[in-house]
Amino acid sequence: MAALIAENFRFLSLFFKSKDVMIFNGLVALGTVGSEELFSVVAFNCPCSPARNYIYGLAAIGVPALALFLIGVILNNHTWNVVAECHKRGTKNFSSAATFLLFGSIMGRAAVAPVTWSVISLLRGEAYICALSEFVKPSSLDKFPAEFGAEVLARFPCKDVPANLTRFRDEVTRRLRYESQLFGWLLIGIVAVLVFLTKCLKHCCSPLSYRQEAYWAQYRSNEDKLFRRTAEVHSRILAANNVKQFFGFVALDKEEKELVQEFPVDGVQPSPQWNAITGVYIYRENKGFPLYSRLHKWAKGVEGNGPTPEGHEMLFLAS
């Protein structure tokens, strides 16, 4: 148990450091597998009671999947870019194709963890067996005693049955586990086909060459790293200046003193500048030259957000 918890904490550390989409999705899937195993060990406990089994079994699969989906939506930067875009500019500048692409990107990324949870739950089979054992028709079981009904079938997942029904319990468990795992493998196949088709469609519809798309991904990653690092230093120096102005001095360590001396900060960026670099960005070109981000667009002094003769919306969203 301690090893499993340690693995989950290690996953969380990698999760928040990862920037690559494939690594990010892989870490989400691995973390979900570990969480599902932990949940099955310490939390899942079938009530083995008619009517309760079905609700509990479905809740064990569906509720964590829903929670993971919402967490995925919350952790996606595109979600808050959409909120900022709608708040500041509305959605009038986006075509229906761009809107579909944007929400598809958010939902697709958020679906990784809940789909993984559902697949692992179905392959394990405990929740499915718990939910549907009471619905097995006694007539489908050879020589099943007529005096027993759904109440006894509901106790099959807990193995709390008379000795003469052990054979039937094993048969029902085997049948339901087969169905559960079959649905799990089918879900894996469907997701794999959808991912393959989505990747093909993305590259077929992309206005960029493979090398330019790779360059764009590198630019976005470097811009984000440098922006975050610079913002952290800028805010620290600004805070130091304000604290010094209030107290007359500021207690800085050696590294912070060097930062204050090397990078003088006189003020802050006005709100219009922050608004200009915040929000959804879909790849655009200006007079044939690419604009790789809102910050890039602001630095070049390009005005407007919609497609114009000088600023062409290419309907291509960053992954």
Side-chain angles (χ1 to χ4, degrees), residues 45-62:
N45 187 16
C46 185
C48 294
S49 174
R52 296 180 180 177
N53 281 14
Y54 183 70
I55 297 174
Y56 185 83
L58 292 184
I61 299 176

Side-chain angles (χ1 to χ4, degrees), residues 88-124:
K88 297 297 182 182
R89 307 177 186 90
T91 58
K92 60 181 182 299
N93 293 316
F94 290 130
S95 64
S96 56
T99 303
F100 176 80
L101 186 65
L102 175 62
F103 281 96
S105 173
I106 295 174
M107 300 304 166
R109 178 76 68 85
V112 174
V115 167
T116 303
W117 178 280
S118 300
V119 166
I120 298 301
S121 296
L122 289 172
L123 292 180
R124 288 179 61 88

Side-chain angles (χ1 to χ4, degrees), residues 143-216:
K143 298 180 181 179
F144 187 81
E147 64 270 21
F148 297 112
E151 185 174 350
V152 172
L153 291 170
R155 297 207 305 268
F156 277 10
C158 297
K159 302 180 181 180
D160 182 21
V161 295
N164 62 326
L165 297 181
T166 301
R167 177 175 65 87
F168 300 105
R169 176 182 59 79
D170 293 341
E171 181 180 348
V172 169
T173 301
R174 183 168 56 251
R175 182 189 302 179
L176 293 177
R177 191 179 300 278
Y178 152 76
E179 293 178 1
S180 179
Q181 293 183 344
L182 178 62
F183 289 139
W185 291 119
L186 287 176
L187 182 57
I188 291 176
I190 292 172
V191 170
V193 171
L194 288 177
V195 170
F196 172 74
L197 293 177
T198 301
K199 284 290 184 181
C200 291
L201 183 63
K202 175 186 174 183
H203 288 290
C204 289
C205 297
S206 172
L208 306 180
S209 66
Y210 172 76
R211 290 187 180 276
Q212 188 179 8
E213 188 176 338
Y215 178 86
W216 186 24

Side-chain angles (χ1 to χ4, degrees), residues 120-287:
I120 298 301
S121 296
L122 289 172
L123 292 180
R124 288 179 61 88
E126 281 87 351
Y128 187 90
I129 293 172
C130 177
L132 297 181
S133 62
E134 64 182 284
F135 297 104
V136 175
K137 294 182 179 180
S139 59
S140 66
L141 302 173
D142 186 33
K143 298 180 181 179
F144 187 81
E147 64 270 21
F148 297 112
E151 185 174 350
V152 172
L153 291 170
R155 297 207 305 268
F156 277 10
C158 297
K159 302 180 181 180
D160 182 21
V161 295
N164 62 326
L165 297 181
T166 301
R167 177 175 65 87
F168 300 105
R169 176 182 59 79
D170 293 341
E171 181 180 348
V172 169
T173 301
R174 183 168 56 251
R175 182 189 302 179
L176 293 177
R177 191 179 300 278
Y178 152 76
E179 293 178 1
S180 179
Q181 293 183 344
L182 178 62
F183 289 139
W185 291 119
L186 287 176
L187 182 57
I188 291 176
I190 292 172
V191 170
V193 171
L194 288 177
V195 170
F196 172 74
L197 293 177
T198 301
K199 284 290 184 181
C200 291
L201 183 63
K202 175 186 174 183
H203 288 290
C204 289
C205 297
S206 172
L208 306 180
S209 66
Y210 172 76
R211 290 187 180 276
Q212 188 179 8
E213 188 176 338
Y215 178 86
W216 186 24
Q218 292 174 344
Y219 173 84
R220 293 196 317 272
S221 176
N222 289 326
E223 181 188 83
D224 183 67
K225 291 177 182 177
L226 291 172
F227 188 91
R228 290 176 182 273
R229 192 186 309 163
T230 305
E232 195 276 333
V233 173
H234 186 281
S235 62
R236 186 185 303 183
I237 296 174
L238 180 63
N241 292 339
N242 292 336
V243 171
K244 183 177 180 180
Q245 186 174 354
F246 184 81
F247 287 107
F249 74 97
V250 58
L252 301 174
D253 58 28
K254 182 179 179 181
E255 179 184 355
E256 291 171 335
K257 289 179 180 178
E258 293 175 352
L259 288 175
V260 171
Q261 294 175 358
E262 185 176 359
F263 305 110
V265 174
D266 297 326
V268 296
Q269 288 66 32
S271 294
Q273 289 187 9
W274 286 104
N275 294 337
I277 66 170
T278 302
V280 177
Y281 186 77
I282 295 180
Y283 178 80
R284 291 178 173 85
E285 293 181 357
N286 180 257
K287 299 180 180 179

